[in-house]
Amino acid sequence: MKLKNKIFALLALVAFTLPVLTSCSDEPDDEYYYSFTGEMMSDYLRNRSDYSDFTTIVERAGLMDLLSAYGHYTCFVPTNDAVQAYLAQKGRSSVAELTDLECDTIARTHLTSDKAYSTYDIGAGVMNMNRRFIQADSDEDADGNAVVLLNRTARINYNTQNDSVENGIVQQIDVVLENSTRMVPELIKKNPRLSLYYLALQRTGLDEAMMPYEDESYEQPEYQYRYTSGAEPDEIALAPEHKYYGFTAFMVPNDVLLQRGYIKTDPKENAEQALHELYDLAKSIYDVTFPADAGQDYTSFDHLDDPRNPLYRFMAYHILPRSMEKPEYLTVRDDLGIFTNYMNPTEWYETMLQYTMLKVEKYTVDVSGLGSHATLKRHYLNRRYDKFTAKPLEGSEVQYTVENGYENDAANGFYFYINDIVAFNTDTRDVVDNARMRIDMSALFPEMMTNGHRMNGDYQIHQKDAILDKMPEVGYNYYYPDGYLTGVTMSGDGYFVYRHPRSGYWSYSGDEMITQGNFDVSFRLPPVPVAGTYQVRLGYAAMAGVRTICQFYFGEKEVPTEPQGVPVDMDVQMNNAELLGTSFNLTYTPVGGSAVTGYTKIRELAYPDNGEGDTEAEDILTNDQKVLKNKGFYRGAWGCGCGTGDQSSKTHFADIANTFRIVLCTANMEPGKYYYVRIRKATKIVRGKNECMLDYIEVVPKSVYGISDGEMREDDL
């Protein structure tokens, strides 16, 4: 039963111009299948002579048993002609001349285990079993049919696409897929447009700093942690299988540096002179940002590998010590839980220039960038373009791909082109960073992103996780052995657990961290840009009969000993008499209108999309924030929410009594230091598993939280 019609071709093409839609079903819709054979994927490969070479490769890799089991697999299967062309290119005459390790790499490069991907589902790309990104684009075959192009080399056969088997989908391709085994700096070295930045990496020693791939001393504990959390009984959390290192480098091409006047000498003509000019640029920036170091011997051109050297600082600020599975995951996957008409998805990441943060923002709110030249749905670095700043900054735009013939997806991360330099200069310090930093717990720790834990699984599936063979599709929960996560210290008998995202959870980005039992956990906060007074807040979801009572600590020690306030009962919700009580459901009757109830309804009157707002409605919101602020609380972020379906069907956190933020402390903090938060169970009362939930952290300067009235008060996003 074959679907050879133009409708499907149109669907495949549309998949690259519209956001990818994820079905709530476990299986792709039948209409997207080419045929249904009733075979397992292993049988399918063995029963077709045109795939015999690849079948041999899979068998030698020891993966055929896997493809004989039920699951949700995708196989991008190269034809025998494609395999023979690949072998000839490598100087081999047959599959027999490949090593078992080479067969394993080739097989895993062509297989996915998380989902059965039809051409409609592939979208911008998928992750293979080697944990490498397969880029997907739209293209045409020789007959003019719309087809999917993988890694800009291999076309999915139009006539056989979406061939369904019992445990997945098979997609025939005409070229063997390859992913580089090189590390990030090695790929940068191969790109002539980046010769100056690579020379700077080499001379500062940062190229070697970006070479690590895996912590081979880490051994996965076999223990499976079974627990109950809320309404989800008998969940399973596994320890991470590996501990990989990752890096993301933002690189400015030579021609862009020349066009913008940062250098005058073409690196192709005189690389050393161009490097001197780049050093002079770095010195003009970092002598101002770090005046105490200006003029010191270690800042001279003769000491480029000193971490205090201007060029070292310049290059280090362009690098994140983490990677992500896809370029689109620079911010949260699919903008999950964010009302993108009102708030840009934003992340804050620490760079390889110690104690500095880089802001990564996906531009989705066109009204916030009135007069901006930014492009919707693109990512920008250190952008600040809103009503709260007198100095709008466009930031640097990220380009996800590079020219044909070059790769930017390395074994240990990515590099991306950007259209302008990024620097920890006074604009970054005083304008970009003078804002509320909100960081999801799963983005706070580099290891969770680098190792593919953050946002793993299908967040639309709310099936229980107790069955291990369902976890590749539904999603994995992880517990972290002490020492796995940067800046985390564990003691007591509790486990620090990451629960993978579900769209209906009362959680920012749909995921959360929990710890249960007699826990005692400390974690490192993001560094601050300038000395001053800051609020440190925790976003969480209160749950009656589930959460426990916690004591919070704050300080410079890795395990702080200074308690902050009285123990907090994480069972108490915002509609409790201790907080807002019945006032949580705000009510307002505008002049000449009908009564409205609820935060969002009143907010719509205060800040309409068009026209003037109702000042009395705005005053109600201002007073609501003041009352809570005096108690050390804030409503949940209005720009975030939860619920299945499109954005119009989601509920804003500000309207949910369970989701809110508590001020852990108000403290003086200094740049160039790390601060830590410690959370310890502080009761003998038994509530379920005595659970503490950690959703996201906010670090907020007084310039933001200290303004309570007028248009410049802290927004509720």
mmCIF file with all atom_site columns, all heavy atoms in Angstrom, residues 583-588 595-605 620-621 635 638 654-655:
data_model
loop_
_atom_site.group_PDB
_atom_site.id
_atom_site.type_symbol
_atom_site.label_atom_id
_atom_site.label_alt_id
_atom_site.label_comp_id
_atom_site.label_asym_id
_atom_site.label_entity_id
_atom_site.label_seq_id
_atom_site.pdbx_PDB_ins_code
_atom_site.Cartn_x
_atom_site.Cartn_y
_atom_site.Cartn_z
_atom_site.occupancy
_atom_site.B_iso_or_equiv
_atom_site.pdbx_formal_charge
_atom_site.auth_seq_id
_atom_site.auth_comp_id
_atom_site.auth_asym_id
_atom_site.auth_atom_id
_atom_site.pdbx_PDB_model_num
ATOM 1   N N   . SER A 1 583 ? -7.394  36.272 48.597 1.00 0.00 ? 583 SER A N   1
ATOM 2   C CA  . SER A 1 583 ? -6.989  37.374 47.710 1.00 0.00 ? 583 SER A CA  1
ATOM 3   C C   . SER A 1 583 ? -6.165  36.894 46.528 1.00 0.00 ? 583 SER A C   1
ATOM 4   O O   . SER A 1 583 ? -5.854  37.680 45.628 1.00 0.00 ? 583 SER A O   1
ATOM 5   C CB  . SER A 1 583 ? -6.186  38.420 48.495 1.00 0.00 ? 583 SER A CB  1
ATOM 6   O OG  . SER A 1 583 ? -6.965  38.984 49.520 1.00 0.00 ? 583 SER A OG  1
ATOM 7   N N   . PHE A 1 584 ? -5.789  35.604 46.551 1.00 0.00 ? 584 PHE A N   1
ATOM 8   C CA  . PHE A 1 584 ? -5.023  35.091 45.416 1.00 0.00 ? 584 PHE A CA  1
ATOM 9   C C   . PHE A 1 584 ? -5.806  35.268 44.124 1.00 0.00 ? 584 PHE A C   1
ATOM 10  O O   . PHE A 1 584 ? -5.251  35.646 43.092 1.00 0.00 ? 584 PHE A O   1
ATOM 11  C CB  . PHE A 1 584 ? -4.685  33.609 45.622 1.00 0.00 ? 584 PHE A CB  1
ATOM 12  C CG  . PHE A 1 584 ? -4.032  32.987 44.419 1.00 0.00 ? 584 PHE A CG  1
ATOM 13  C CD1 . PHE A 1 584 ? -2.696  33.215 44.156 1.00 0.00 ? 584 PHE A CD1 1
ATOM 14  C CD2 . PHE A 1 584 ? -4.761  32.192 43.543 1.00 0.00 ? 584 PHE A CD2 1
ATOM 15  C CE1 . PHE A 1 584 ? -2.091  32.665 43.032 1.00 0.00 ? 584 PHE A CE1 1
ATOM 16  C CE2 . PHE A 1 584 ? -4.163  31.642 42.425 1.00 0.00 ? 584 PHE A CE2 1
ATOM 17  C CZ  . PHE A 1 584 ? -2.824  31.873 42.170 1.00 0.00 ? 584 PHE A CZ  1
ATOM 18  N N   . ASN A 1 585 ? -7.115  35.002 44.156 1.00 0.00 ? 585 ASN A N   1
ATOM 19  C CA  . ASN A 1 585 ? -7.958  35.177 42.972 1.00 0.00 ? 585 ASN A CA  1
ATOM 20  C C   . ASN A 1 585 ? -8.403  36.633 42.905 1.00 0.00 ? 585 ASN A C   1
ATOM 21  O O   . ASN A 1 585 ? -9.461  36.993 43.430 1.00 0.00 ? 585 ASN A O   1
ATOM 22  C CB  . ASN A 1 585 ? -9.158  34.236 43.012 1.00 0.00 ? 585 ASN A CB  1
ATOM 23  C CG  . ASN A 1 585 ? -8.747  32.791 42.890 1.00 0.00 ? 585 ASN A CG  1
ATOM 24  O OD1 . ASN A 1 585 ? -7.920  32.444 42.059 1.00 0.00 ? 585 ASN A OD1 1
ATOM 25  N ND2 . ASN A 1 585 ? -9.317  31.930 43.729 1.00 0.00 ? 585 ASN A ND2 1
ATOM 26  N N   . LEU A 1 586 ? -7.585  37.469 42.317 1.00 0.00 ? 586 LEU A N   1
ATOM 27  C CA  . LEU A 1 586 ? -7.874  38.899 42.242 1.00 0.00 ? 586 LEU A CA  1
ATOM 28  C C   . LEU A 1 586 ? -9.191  39.149 41.517 1.00 0.00 ? 586 LEU A C   1
ATOM 29  O O   . LEU A 1 586 ? -9.523  38.472 40.537 1.00 0.00 ? 586 LEU A O   1
ATOM 30  C CB  . LEU A 1 586 ? -6.738  39.614 41.507 1.00 0.00 ? 586 LEU A CB  1
ATOM 31  C CG  . LEU A 1 586 ? -5.345  39.519 42.143 1.00 0.00 ? 586 LEU A CG  1
ATOM 32  C CD1 . LEU A 1 586 ? -4.315  40.174 41.230 1.00 0.00 ? 586 LEU A CD1 1
ATOM 33  C CD2 . LEU A 1 586 ? -5.334  40.165 43.517 1.00 0.00 ? 586 LEU A CD2 1
ATOM 34  N N   . THR A 1 587 ? -9.926  40.135 41.996 1.00 0.00 ? 587 THR A N   1
ATOM 35  C CA  . THR A 1 587 ? -11.202 40.520 41.376 1.00 0.00 ? 587 THR A CA  1
ATOM 36  C C   . THR A 1 587 ? -11.218 42.022 41.156 1.00 0.00 ? 587 THR A C   1
ATOM 37  O O   . THR A 1 587 ? -10.763 42.797 42.002 1.00 0.00 ? 587 THR A O   1
ATOM 38  C CB  . THR A 1 587 ? -12.392 40.121 42.270 1.00 0.00 ? 587 THR A CB  1
ATOM 39  O OG1 . THR A 1 587 ? -12.349 38.708 42.497 1.00 0.00 ? 587 THR A OG1 1
ATOM 40  C CG2 . THR A 1 587 ? -13.714 40.472 41.610 1.00 0.00 ? 587 THR A CG2 1
ATOM 41  N N   . TYR A 1 588 ? -11.748 42.430 40.012 1.00 0.00 ? 588 TYR A N   1
ATOM 42  C CA  . TYR A 1 588 ? -11.798 43.863 39.692 1.00 0.00 ? 588 TYR A CA  1
ATOM 43  C C   . TYR A 1 588 ? -13.006 44.133 38.796 1.00 0.00 ? 588 TYR A C   1
ATOM 44  O O   . TYR A 1 588 ? -13.298 43.374 37.868 1.00 0.00 ? 588 TYR A O   1
ATOM 45  C CB  . TYR A 1 588 ? -10.513 44.285 38.983 1.00 0.00 ? 588 TYR A CB  1
ATOM 46  C CG  . TYR A 1 588 ? -10.540 45.683 38.425 1.00 0.00 ? 588 TYR A CG  1
ATOM 47  C CD1 . TYR A 1 588 ? -10.802 46.789 39.242 1.00 0.00 ? 588 TYR A CD1 1
ATOM 48  C CD2 . TYR A 1 588 ? -10.299 45.899 37.063 1.00 0.00 ? 588 TYR A CD2 1
ATOM 49  C CE1 . TYR A 1 588 ? -10.816 48.072 38.720 1.00 0.00 ? 588 TYR A CE1 1
ATOM 50  C CE2 . TYR A 1 588 ? -10.311 47.178 36.532 1.00 0.00 ? 588 TYR A CE2 1
ATOM 51  C CZ  . TYR A 1 588 ? -10.575 48.270 37.367 1.00 0.00 ? 588 TYR A CZ  1
ATOM 52  O OH  . TYR A 1 588 ? -10.593 49.539 36.854 1.00 0.00 ? 588 TYR A OH  1
ATOM 53  N N   . ALA A 1 595 ? -17.430 42.541 36.275 1.00 0.00 ? 595 ALA A N   1
ATOM 54  C CA  . ALA A 1 595 ? -16.358 42.083 37.139 1.00 0.00 ? 595 ALA A CA  1
ATOM 55  C C   . ALA A 1 595 ? -15.534 41.003 36.439 1.00 0.00 ? 595 ALA A C   1
ATOM 56  O O   . ALA A 1 595 ? -16.076 40.159 35.722 1.00 0.00 ? 595 ALA A O   1
ATOM 57  C CB  . ALA A 1 595 ? -16.933 41.547 38.443 1.00 0.00 ? 595 ALA A CB  1
ATOM 58  N N   . VAL A 1 596 ? -14.223 41.072 36.642 1.00 0.00 ? 596 VAL A N   1
ATOM 59  C CA  . VAL A 1 596 ? -13.329 40.048 36.118 1.00 0.00 ? 596 VAL A CA  1
ATOM 60  C C   . VAL A 1 596 ? -12.551 39.461 37.290 1.00 0.00 ? 596 VAL A C   1
ATOM 61  O O   . VAL A 1 596 ? -12.255 40.150 38.270 1.00 0.00 ? 596 VAL A O   1
ATOM 62  C CB  . VAL A 1 596 ? -12.367 40.598 35.052 1.00 0.00 ? 596 VAL A CB  1
ATOM 63  C CG1 . VAL A 1 596 ? -13.122 41.072 33.837 1.00 0.00 ? 596 VAL A CG1 1
ATOM 64  C CG2 . VAL A 1 596 ? -11.515 41.726 35.615 1.00 0.00 ? 596 VAL A CG2 1
ATOM 65  N N   . THR A 1 597 ? -12.227 38.187 37.196 1.00 0.00 ? 597 THR A N   1
ATOM 66  C CA  . THR A 1 597 ? -11.510 37.488 38.262 1.00 0.00 ? 597 THR A CA  1
ATOM 67  C C   . THR A 1 597 ? -10.291 36.783 37.677 1.00 0.00 ? 597 THR A C   1
ATOM 68  O O   . THR A 1 597 ? -10.379 36.196 36.599 1.00 0.00 ? 597 THR A O   1
ATOM 69  C CB  . THR A 1 597 ? -12.415 36.455 38.949 1.00 0.00 ? 597 THR A CB  1
ATOM 70  O OG1 . THR A 1 597 ? -13.549 37.115 39.499 1.00 0.00 ? 597 THR A OG1 1
ATOM 71  C CG2 . THR A 1 597 ? -11.671 35.742 40.073 1.00 0.00 ? 597 THR A CG2 1
ATOM 72  N N   . GLY A 1 598 ? -9.206  36.850 38.420 1.00 0.00 ? 598 GLY A N   1
ATOM 73  C CA  . GLY A 1 598 ? -7.986  36.163 38.006 1.00 0.00 ? 598 GLY A CA  1
ATOM 74  C C   . GLY A 1 598 ? -6.910  37.133 37.568 1.00 0.00 ? 598 GLY A C   1
ATOM 75  O O   . GLY A 1 598 ? -7.187  38.203 37.005 1.00 0.00 ? 598 GLY A O   1
ATOM 76  N N   . TYR A 1 599 ? -5.679  36.760 37.819 1.00 0.00 ? 599 TYR A N   1
ATOM 77  C CA  . TYR A 1 599 ? -4.548  37.637 37.522 1.00 0.00 ? 599 TYR A CA  1
ATOM 78  C C   . TYR A 1 599 ? -4.481  37.988 36.042 1.00 0.00 ? 599 TYR A C   1
ATOM 79  O O   . TYR A 1 599 ? -4.342  39.155 35.675 1.00 0.00 ? 599 TYR A O   1
ATOM 80  C CB  . TYR A 1 599 ? -3.246  36.948 37.959 1.00 0.00 ? 599 TYR A CB  1
ATOM 81  C CG  . TYR A 1 599 ? -2.043  37.849 37.902 1.00 0.00 ? 599 TYR A CG  1
ATOM 82  C CD1 . TYR A 1 599 ? -1.636  38.578 39.013 1.00 0.00 ? 599 TYR A CD1 1
ATOM 83  C CD2 . TYR A 1 599 ? -1.308  37.983 36.728 1.00 0.00 ? 599 TYR A CD2 1
ATOM 84  C CE1 . TYR A 1 599 ? -0.537  39.409 38.965 1.00 0.00 ? 599 TYR A CE1 1
ATOM 85  C CE2 . TYR A 1 599 ? -0.204  38.807 36.658 1.00 0.00 ? 599 TYR A CE2 1
ATOM 86  C CZ  . TYR A 1 599 ? 0.183   39.522 37.781 1.00 0.00 ? 599 TYR A CZ  1
ATOM 87  O OH  . TYR A 1 599 ? 1.273   40.367 37.718 1.00 0.00 ? 599 TYR A OH  1
ATOM 88  N N   . THR A 1 600 ? -4.593  36.992 35.190 1.00 0.00 ? 600 THR A N   1
ATOM 89  C CA  . THR A 1 600 ? -4.455  37.244 33.752 1.00 0.00 ? 600 THR A CA  1
ATOM 90  C C   . THR A 1 600 ? -5.565  38.139 33.224 1.00 0.00 ? 600 THR A C   1
ATOM 91  O O   . THR A 1 600 ? -5.325  39.035 32.403 1.00 0.00 ? 600 THR A O   1
ATOM 92  C CB  . THR A 1 600 ? -4.422  35.908 32.986 1.00 0.00 ? 600 THR A CB  1
ATOM 93  O OG1 . THR A 1 600 ? -3.214  35.214 33.317 1.00 0.00 ? 600 THR A OG1 1
ATOM 94  C CG2 . THR A 1 600 ? -4.476  36.128 31.488 1.00 0.00 ? 600 THR A CG2 1
ATOM 95  N N   . LYS A 1 601 ? -6.795  37.935 33.691 1.00 0.00 ? 601 LYS A N   1
ATOM 96  C CA  . LYS A 1 601 ? -7.911  38.752 33.222 1.00 0.00 ? 601 LYS A CA  1
ATOM 97  C C   . LYS A 1 601 ? -7.687  40.230 33.573 1.00 0.00 ? 601 LYS A C   1
ATOM 98  O O   . LYS A 1 601 ? -7.953  41.130 32.768 1.00 0.00 ? 601 LYS A O   1
ATOM 99  C CB  . LYS A 1 601 ? -9.222  38.261 33.835 1.00 0.00 ? 601 LYS A CB  1
ATOM 100 C CG  . LYS A 1 601 ? -9.654  36.883 33.368 1.00 0.00 ? 601 LYS A CG  1
ATOM 101 C CD  . LYS A 1 601 ? -10.012 36.893 31.887 1.00 0.00 ? 601 LYS A CD  1
ATOM 102 C CE  . LYS A 1 601 ? -10.549 35.543 31.450 1.00 0.00 ? 601 LYS A CE  1
ATOM 103 N NZ  . LYS A 1 601 ? -10.848 35.521 29.988 1.00 0.00 ? 601 LYS A NZ  1
ATOM 104 N N   . ILE A 1 602 ? -7.210  40.476 34.780 1.00 0.00 ? 602 ILE A N   1
ATOM 105 C CA  . ILE A 1 602 ? -6.951  41.863 35.189 1.00 0.00 ? 602 ILE A CA  1
ATOM 106 C C   . ILE A 1 602 ? -5.743  42.413 34.433 1.00 0.00 ? 602 ILE A C   1
ATOM 107 O O   . ILE A 1 602 ? -5.720  43.581 34.036 1.00 0.00 ? 602 ILE A O   1
ATOM 108 C CB  . ILE A 1 602 ? -6.749  41.936 36.712 1.00 0.00 ? 602 ILE A CB  1
ATOM 109 C CG1 . ILE A 1 602 ? -8.059  41.568 37.409 1.00 0.00 ? 602 ILE A CG1 1
ATOM 110 C CG2 . ILE A 1 602 ? -6.269  43.313 37.145 1.00 0.00 ? 602 ILE A CG2 1
ATOM 111 C CD1 . ILE A 1 602 ? -7.961  41.491 38.908 1.00 0.00 ? 602 ILE A CD1 1
ATOM 112 N N   . ARG A 1 603 ? -4.766  41.568 34.201 1.00 0.00 ? 603 ARG A N   1
ATOM 113 C CA  . ARG A 1 603 ? -3.582  42.007 33.462 1.00 0.00 ? 603 ARG A CA  1
ATOM 114 C C   . ARG A 1 603 ? -3.944  42.415 32.036 1.00 0.00 ? 603 ARG A C   1
ATOM 115 O O   . ARG A 1 603 ? -3.357  43.335 31.463 1.00 0.00 ? 603 ARG A O   1
ATOM 116 C CB  . ARG A 1 603 ? -2.540  40.881 33.431 1.00 0.00 ? 603 ARG A CB  1
ATOM 117 C CG  . ARG A 1 603 ? -1.151  41.348 33.005 1.00 0.00 ? 603 ARG A CG  1
ATOM 118 C CD  . ARG A 1 603 ? -0.207  40.173 32.877 1.00 0.00 ? 603 ARG A CD  1
ATOM 119 N NE  . ARG A 1 603 ? 1.171   40.602 32.736 1.00 0.00 ? 603 ARG A NE  1
ATOM 120 C CZ  . ARG A 1 603 ? 1.715   41.023 31.606 1.00 0.00 ? 603 ARG A CZ  1
ATOM 121 N NH1 . ARG A 1 603 ? 0.990   41.084 30.502 1.00 0.00 ? 603 ARG A NH1 1
ATOM 122 N NH2 . ARG A 1 603 ? 2.997   41.389 31.564 1.00 0.00 ? 603 ARG A NH2 1
ATOM 123 N N   . GLU A 1 604 ? -4.876  41.711 31.436 1.00 0.00 ? 604 GLU A N   1
ATOM 124 C CA  . GLU A 1 604 ? -5.309  42.062 30.079 1.00 0.00 ? 604 GLU A CA  1
ATOM 125 C C   . GLU A 1 604 ? -5.926  43.449 30.024 1.00 0.00 ? 604 GLU A C   1
ATOM 126 O O   . GLU A 1 604 ? -5.830  44.142 29.010 1.00 0.00 ? 604 GLU A O   1
ATOM 127 C CB  . GLU A 1 604 ? -6.296  41.012 29.571 1.00 0.00 ? 604 GLU A CB  1
ATOM 128 C CG  . GLU A 1 604 ? -5.639  39.660 29.268 1.00 0.00 ? 604 GLU A CG  1
ATOM 129 C CD  . GLU A 1 604 ? -6.647  38.563 28.993 1.00 0.00 ? 604 GLU A CD  1
ATOM 130 O OE1 . GLU A 1 604 ? -7.868  38.825 29.190 1.00 0.00 ? 604 GLU A OE1 1
ATOM 131 O OE2 . GLU A 1 604 ? -6.227  37.456 28.605 1.00 0.00 ? 604 GLU A OE2 1
ATOM 132 N N   . LEU A 1 605 ? -6.580  43.850 31.125 1.00 0.00 ? 605 LEU A N   1
ATOM 133 C CA  . LEU A 1 605 ? -7.124  45.214 31.197 1.00 0.00 ? 605 LEU A CA  1
ATOM 134 C C   . LEU A 1 605 ? -6.015  46.234 31.446 1.00 0.00 ? 605 LEU A C   1
ATOM 135 O O   . LEU A 1 605 ? -6.038  47.338 30.897 1.00 0.00 ? 605 LEU A O   1
ATOM 136 C CB  . LEU A 1 605 ? -8.166  45.309 32.307 1.00 0.00 ? 605 LEU A CB  1
ATOM 137 C CG  . LEU A 1 605 ? -9.435  44.469 32.138 1.00 0.00 ? 605 LEU A CG  1
ATOM 138 C CD1 . LEU A 1 605 ? -10.317 44.589 33.381 1.00 0.00 ? 605 LEU A CD1 1
ATOM 139 C CD2 . LEU A 1 605 ? -10.210 44.907 30.904 1.00 0.00 ? 605 LEU A CD2 1
ATOM 140 N N   . ILE A 1 620 ? -3.815  47.396 40.934 1.00 0.00 ? 620 ILE A N   1
ATOM 141 C CA  . ILE A 1 620 ? -4.124  46.145 41.634 1.00 0.00 ? 620 ILE A CA  1
ATOM 142 C C   . ILE A 1 620 ? -2.950  45.176 41.519 1.00 0.00 ? 620 ILE A C   1
ATOM 143 O O   . ILE A 1 620 ? -2.546  44.535 42.499 1.00 0.00 ? 620 ILE A O   1
ATOM 144 C CB  . ILE A 1 620 ? -5.412  45.516 41.069 1.00 0.00 ? 620 ILE A CB  1
ATOM 145 C CG1 . ILE A 1 620 ? -6.625  46.372 41.447 1.00 0.00 ? 620 ILE A CG1 1
ATOM 146 C CG2 . ILE A 1 620 ? -5.581  44.080 41.571 1.00 0.00 ? 620 ILE A CG2 1
ATOM 147 C CD1 . ILE A 1 620 ? -7.914  45.899 40.809 1.00 0.00 ? 620 ILE A CD1 1
ATOM 148 N N   . LEU A 1 621 ? -2.375  45.094 40.330 1.00 0.00 ? 621 LEU A N   1
ATOM 149 C CA  . LEU A 1 621 ? -1.236  44.205 40.127 1.00 0.00 ? 621 LEU A CA  1
ATOM 150 C C   . LEU A 1 621 ? -0.016  44.690 40.907 1.00 0.00 ? 621 LEU A C   1
ATOM 151 O O   . LEU A 1 621 ? 0.721   43.887 41.494 1.00 0.00 ? 621 LEU A O   1
ATOM 152 C CB  . LEU A 1 621 ? -0.894  44.115 38.642 1.00 0.00 ? 621 LEU A CB  1
ATOM 153 C CG  . LEU A 1 621 ? -1.993  43.593 37.704 1.00 0.00 ? 621 LEU A CG  1
ATOM 154 C CD1 . LEU A 1 621 ? -1.473  43.511 36.277 1.00 0.00 ? 621 LEU A CD1 1
ATOM 155 C CD2 . LEU A 1 621 ? -2.502  42.237 38.163 1.00 0.00 ? 621 LEU A CD2 1
ATOM 156 N N   . ARG A 1 635 ? 4.588   35.906 42.822 1.00 0.00 ? 635 ARG A N   1
ATOM 157 C CA  . ARG A 1 635 ? 3.801   34.949 42.035 1.00 0.00 ? 635 ARG A CA  1
ATOM 158 C C   . ARG A 1 635 ? 4.722   34.233 41.043 1.00 0.00 ? 635 ARG A C   1
ATOM 159 O O   . ARG A 1 635 ? 5.830   34.684 40.752 1.00 0.00 ? 635 ARG A O   1
ATOM 160 C CB  . ARG A 1 635 ? 2.695   35.669 41.258 1.00 0.00 ? 635 ARG A CB  1
ATOM 161 C CG  . ARG A 1 635 ? 1.483   36.049 42.087 1.00 0.00 ? 635 ARG A CG  1
ATOM 162 C CD  . ARG A 1 635 ? 0.430   36.703 41.218 1.00 0.00 ? 635 ARG A CD  1
ATOM 163 N NE  . ARG A 1 635 ? -0.695  37.156 42.041 1.00 0.00 ? 635 ARG A NE  1
ATOM 164 C CZ  . ARG A 1 635 ? -1.860  36.520 42.138 1.00 0.00 ? 635 ARG A CZ  1
ATOM 165 N NH1 . ARG A 1 635 ? -2.062  35.403 41.437 1.00 0.00 ? 635 ARG A NH1 1
ATOM 166 N NH2 . ARG A 1 635 ? -2.835  36.989 42.913 1.00 0.00 ? 635 ARG A NH2 1
ATOM 167 N N   . TRP A 1 638 ? 4.523   35.173 34.987 1.00 0.00 ? 638 TRP A N   1
ATOM 168 C CA  . TRP A 1 638 ? 3.364   35.207 34.101 1.00 0.00 ? 638 TRP A CA  1
ATOM 169 C C   . TRP A 1 638 ? 3.743   34.804 32.676 1.00 0.00 ? 638 TRP A C   1
ATOM 170 O O   . TRP A 1 638 ? 2.920   34.276 31.935 1.00 0.00 ? 638 TRP A O   1
ATOM 171 C CB  . TRP A 1 638 ? 2.744   36.604 34.093 1.00 0.00 ? 638 TRP A CB  1
ATOM 172 C CG  . TRP A 1 638 ? 1.464   36.664 33.322 1.00 0.00 ? 638 TRP A CG  1
ATOM 173 C CD1 . TRP A 1 638 ? 0.218   36.307 33.752 1.00 0.00 ? 638 TRP A CD1 1
ATOM 174 C CD2 . TRP A 1 638 ? 1.298   37.097 31.955 1.00 0.00 ? 638 TRP A CD2 1
ATOM 175 N NE1 . TRP A 1 638 ? -0.706  36.491 32.747 1.00 0.00 ? 638 TRP A NE1 1
ATOM 176 C CE2 . TRP A 1 638 ? -0.067  36.980 31.630 1.00 0.00 ? 638 TRP A CE2 1
ATOM 177 C CE3 . TRP A 1 638 ? 2.181   37.580 30.984 1.00 0.00 ? 638 TRP A CE3 1
ATOM 178 C CZ2 . TRP A 1 638 ? -0.570  37.315 30.385 1.00 0.00 ? 638 TRP A CZ2 1
ATOM 179 C CZ3 . TRP A 1 638 ? 1.678   37.912 29.735 1.00 0.00 ? 638 TRP A CZ3 1
ATOM 180 C CH2 . TRP A 1 638 ? 0.309   37.790 29.451 1.00 0.00 ? 638 TRP A CH2 1
ATOM 181 N N   . ALA A 1 654 ? 1.313   32.601 37.032 1.00 0.00 ? 654 ALA A N   1
ATOM 182 C CA  . ALA A 1 654 ? 0.785   33.606 37.962 1.00 0.00 ? 654 ALA A CA  1
ATOM 183 C C   . ALA A 1 654 ? -0.655  33.306 38.367 1.00 0.00 ? 654 ALA A C   1
ATOM 184 O O   . ALA A 1 654 ? -1.136  33.830 39.378 1.00 0.00 ? 654 ALA A O   1
ATOM 185 C CB  . ALA A 1 654 ? 0.874   35.001 37.336 1.00 0.00 ? 654 ALA A CB  1
ATOM 186 N N   . ASP A 1 655 ? -1.345  32.482 37.592 1.00 0.00 ? 655 ASP A N   1
ATOM 187 C CA  . ASP A 1 655 ? -2.724  32.112 37.901 1.00 0.00 ? 655 ASP A CA  1
ATOM 188 C C   . ASP A 1 655 ? -2.827  30.799 38.669 1.00 0.00 ? 655 ASP A C   1
ATOM 189 O O   . ASP A 1 655 ? -3.928  30.354 38.984 1.00 0.00 ? 655 ASP A O   1
ATOM 190 C CB  . ASP A 1 655 ? -3.540  31.989 36.607 1.00 0.00 ? 655 ASP A CB  1
ATOM 191 C CG  . ASP A 1 655 ? -3.856  33.336 35.996 1.00 0.00 ? 655 ASP A CG  1
ATOM 192 O OD1 . ASP A 1 655 ? -4.299  34.234 36.728 1.00 0.00 ? 655 ASP A OD1 1
ATOM 193 O OD2 . ASP A 1 655 ? -3.633  33.502 34.777 1.00 0.00 ? 655 ASP A OD2 1
#
